[in-house]
Amino acid sequence: LTNQSAGTYCIRLINSLGEVLVVKNIAHNGVNNLQKIEVTGSPLPKGIYELEVIKPDGSKEAIKILK
């Protein structure tokens, strides 16, 4: 979370079928930091994923991830 304001963020990892694989809420204090997102169970297959970040103000940012 680089250059982001303080607040609670919701992170969702979504596969190409629209299935939500991971949901994580992060209480961010406004200081730049890294967050590890772990997928439990079997390893993720190769493909395209979307990392959706829902910010404290309700706005969303989607980041495409190619594995």
Side-chain angles (χ1 to χ4, degrees), residues 38-44:
E38 294 186 38
V39 179
T40 58
S42 59
L44 286 176

Side-chain angles (χ1 to χ4, degrees), residues 1 5-6 10-11 17 19-20 23 27 31-32 35 37 39 42 46-47 54-55 58 60 65:
L1 297 171
S5 58
C10 179
I11 308 296
L17 299 175
E19 299 170 323
V20 178
V23 176
V31 177
N32 293 343
Q35 292 289 324
I37 299 172
V39 179
S42 59
K46 290 184 179 183
I54 303 170
K55 299 179 180 187
K60 295 179 183 179
I65 299 172

